[in-house]
Each structure stands twice: as structure tokens, then as C-alpha cells.
Amino acid sequence: MNFSGQHVLSVNQFERDNLEYIFNIAEKMEPYAKRKIRTKVLDGAILGNLFFEPSTRTRVSFGCAFNLLGGEVRETTGMETSALAKGESLYDTARVISSYSDVIAMRHPQAGSVAEFAEGSRVPVINGGDGANEHPTQALLDLYTIQSELRAFEQKIDGMHIAMVGDLKNGRTVHSLSKLLAQYNNVHLSLISPTELAMPDYVIDTLENAGHKVTISDDMEHNLNADIVYQTRIQEERFENQDEANKYRGQFRLNSDIYTRFCKSNTVIMHPLPRDSRADANELDNDLNQNPNLAIFRQADNGILIRMALFAMTLGVADQVDKYQCPVPWYSAK
Ligand code: NCD
């Protein structure tokens, strides 16, 4: 399998054996992510990290993942501080930045924008989220997390029950994750959202064509009896105005009381983050923070492993990471 020089634009490009291969490489990144040992395999390489939409985790973890492989990061944040605000085309930006960089990670508010950018790029481009469309690296880290959390209960992705909750219309993470789940067998998906924010039909079709059981509901509580609950935020930036988004904020709140009453004893709680902790939203309450099945921070940590794996693969060094090892001289509490 050769990912060298390839873009990562959509989860559609991955077959199930590709996923297993990526997860294998990701697992091998753990000692580096935990600072047990360093590698300089990407010493001298440059990541162009272009984020034209708000981001904390995704942007910083792309950068850290590249640094952890020994590479350097150059980045631009926000549309208004970039030449796109002066009318430059994605093609021109791509031509220029790709000559400065060895690989590019990019987030942009328009669906399809990262693929358009990739056409002008001479180096691999990794999609960090294009509007409401896709978020392939998040879906990979979500699936990796599901696999490792279920392993603790001797369960597999095949045959699992996952409940996705919230803004399933605008949430790109649930679109990409669902498409990846279509590669597995016999999954039951409970899709819980306000009717107006339901999962797009093309995603539901993909799931049903894969033979999965899909339950659609606007009743959260009676559909939480799942192996995984994947909670999401109302994607307010995709609405015409705040009043529109406010209609749905706070409608589905998962907290300790609801968990105890309606979830299974070991239901794993996930969220791509950021969770909206403002009082009128609060879709995932802080009172779950000590619950051992709250996987949200392990999930975010896994983002580093997956992004390291993707960089190593697209730059063709996945089998050389250990060869460029060196010690960690500083104190590390990880
Ligand atoms: C998500 C995103 O930006 O699509 N977050 C993330 O990348 N971790 C989900 C969100 O913003 O709600």
C-alpha cells in the first residue's frame, strides 16, 4: 500500500485494509507522542498549516504531530489575515504555499475548497475540515478511539451500536465517521437530532447500503442504550443567524443523571470537541468529567497519533521513524 505523495481529502479514499494499516502505524507513534523517545525522521521538512476557520485542537495537533516527527511548521490562521481576503484564488495560494512546504494541512469554511486547493498543490494536502462536508482525520481518530475503547470490553466495531447525537446535518465529523463505518459489518446507528438537523440522506443511504441498521429519532434518552454515544455541538457557524441556531441549543444534554438512567453501564462517551459549555447549550456536562467512560480527552490525544501516521505515510517515511530515533533529554511527566 503506497500513500506516498497522496492527498487525504475524503474518507471515501480508504478501504478497510487501509484503515487497519493506518491504525497500526498510529499505534507505533505512541512512544514518540508520550515523549519516551524522539525521532528526527522529518528533520528539515516543512508543514504548511493553513487554517481559514476557527480551530484549536485540529490545528495544534497537526502542528505538534509534525514537530514530533522532527519537522518544522509554518502556519496561517484566519481568512482576514490571508491573501484570500484580497481575492486570491485557492489555486494561486496552493501553487505558492506548496513550493514553500513538503505537505499542507488545510481547513476552510467552504465544502469542496480543500479538494480545489489540492488541484493547485504540488505537495500532498490533508483536509482539516471543509465546511459541513468532511473531516477525514477526525473520522480516523474517532474510529481509532472507538476501536481502542471497545477493545477494553472485548468488543469490536463490527456489531456495535453507536448513537450519534446533535447537529447531524451540519456536523462534518459525523458525516465522515458514518462513511467510514460503512466499511464495517452489522453496525447499529441511532441518529438522534432535531428533525431539521437530521443526517443528510446520502449518508443514511451509504449506511443502509452497507447493510447497517439505522434508527432515526428526536428522542435522545430512549436511544442512549448504546456501546458508544457520540455527542456533538450545534454548529452555529453554519446557520444563517444566531436566532436560528438558538432554537436548537440545549435541546440534547447528556449529564451524569441521564447517563445513569439511560446509558449502559459501560457506554463510552465521545465528542469531537469543542463541547459548548455555555449554560444555554451544555450538550456534555462537566459532571461527567470523572466518569471513566468519558473518552473525549483520550480521543483528542489520539489525534496526534493519527496525524503523525498520516504525515509519515504521505511523506513515505512510515517505515523509517524508528531509524531516526534519539533520546529525550528533558523531564517528561507523560
Ligand atoms: C469539529 C469540527 O471543527 O468540525 N471539531 C474538531 O475538529 N475537533 C467539530 C466542532 O467544531 O463542533
Side-chain angles (χ1 to χ4, degrees):
M1 186 169 337
N2 192 4
F3 280 90
S4 198
Q6 302 291 315
H7 301 305
V8 178
L9 299 175
S10 161
V11 291
N12 292 338
Q13 67 196 81
F14 301 120
E15 307 276 338
R16 183 160 172 171
D17 59 342
N18 300 143
L19 300 173
E20 281 156 17
Y21 177 71
I22 297 168
F23 294 169
N24 248 328
I25 307 228
E27 216 162 76
K28 295 204 175 94
M29 297 300 176
E30 211 159 317
Y32 301 99
K34 292 199 164 141
R35 281 47 157 197
K36 303 280 176 244
I37 189 96
R38 294 170 68 204
T39 177
K40 292 189 172 180
V41 70
L42 291 185
D43 188 19
I46 294 175
L47 165 68
N49 207 21
L50 312 183
F51 273 70
F52 299 112
E53 219 190 19
S55 172
T56 304
R57 241 156 319 271
T58 307
R59 178 172 62 83
V60 175
S61 71
F62 267 120
C64 289
F66 207 74
N67 290 147
L68 286 165
L69 291 167
E72 296 268 350
V73 183
R74 290 288 171 270
E75 104 182 346
T76 161
T77 53
M79 195 73 88
E80 63 295 338
T81 53
S82 86
L84 293 180
K86 299 180 183 171
E88 186 170 53
S89 67
L90 287 169
Y91 179 85
D92 284 3
T93 308
R95 285 301 296 251
V96 174
I97 302 299
S98 64
S99 95
Y100 299 167
S101 320
D102 296 277
V103 58
I104 293 171
M106 176 174 165
R107 171 174 284 190
H108 190 284
Q110 267 162 23
S113 53
V114 183
E116 185 185 334
F117 178 94
E119 280 169 29
S121 173
R122 286 168 278 185
V123 299
V125 175
I126 302 183
N127 184 356
D130 60 322
N133 185 34
E134 277 230 33
H135 196 345
T137 64
Q138 180 72 40
L140 289 169
L141 77 88
D142 287 343
L143 198 62
Y144 181 84
T145 304
I146 292 172
Q147 182 173 282
S148 63
E149 295 290 323
L150 290 184
R151 198 182 284 151
F153 307 119
E154 290 175 9
Q155 261 183 286
K156 293 198 161 126
I157 298 171
D158 294 313
M160 73 162 178
H161 178 194
I162 179 169
M164 297 184 179
V165 186
D167 185 353
L168 306 185
K169 177 182 175 204
N170 298 302
R172 54 194 170 198
T173 71
V174 286
H175 301 164
S176 290
L177 178 57
S178 299
K179 289 193 231 168
L180 278 189
L181 286 174
Q183 305 273 348
Y184 289 76
N185 301 319
N186 199 22
V187 176
H188 177 192
L189 293 102
S190 296
L191 305 178
I192 304 155
S193 71
T195 319
E196 300 82 352
L197 302 183
M199 185 71 93
D201 286 341
Y202 79 93
V203 179
I204 296 175
D205 289 347
T206 308
L207 292 167
E208 288 181 338
N209 290 338
H212 294 337
K213 178 176 171 191
V214 179
T215 309
I216 296 169
S217 177
D218 59 2
D219 170 4
M220 180 181 80
E221 280 140 16
H222 296 99
N223 284 289
L224 288 179
N225 190 22
D227 302 306
I228 307 279
V229 171
Y230 189 103
Q231 178 65 289
T232 66
R233 171 181 73 86
I234 298 298
Q235 307 280 299
E236 56 188 26
E237 65 278 32
R238 310 268 176 247
F239 287 76
E240 297 264 306
N241 57 57
Q242 275 304 309
D243 289 346
E244 190 59 27
N246 286 343
K247 283 204 249 169
Y248 306 106
R249 287 158 66 84
Q251 207 162 313
F252 298 120
R253 298 167 187 248
L254 181 57
N255 57 31
S256 214
D257 175 48
I258 302 276
Y259 184 90
T260 313
R261 284 164 54 209
F262 297 100
C263 289
K264 299 207 308 196
S265 58
N266 279 328
T267 295
V268 174
I269 309 165
M270 295 176 61
H271 190 305
L273 302 180
R275 53 178 157 171
D276 187 342
S277 295
R278 289 169 288 193
D280 58 345
N282 206 24
E283 72 267 359
L284 188 54
D285 201 288
N286 283 332
D287 70 1
L288 285 160
N289 283 1
Q290 304 311 320
N291 185 321
N293 295 312
L294 183 78
I296 57 175
F297 299 117
R298 295 191 286 279
Q299 186 182 355
D301 287 352
N302 289 336
I304 293 279
L305 306 181
I306 289 292
R307 292 181 176 116
M308 287 178 80
L310 291 174
F311 285 134
M313 290 163 61
T314 52
L315 292 175
V317 295
D319 56 350
Q320 293 176 62
V321 176
D322 296 342
K323 193 168 130 194
Y324 290 88
Q325 273 181 356
C326 50
V328 176
W330 65 84
Y331 167 75
S332 171
K334 283 176 199 298

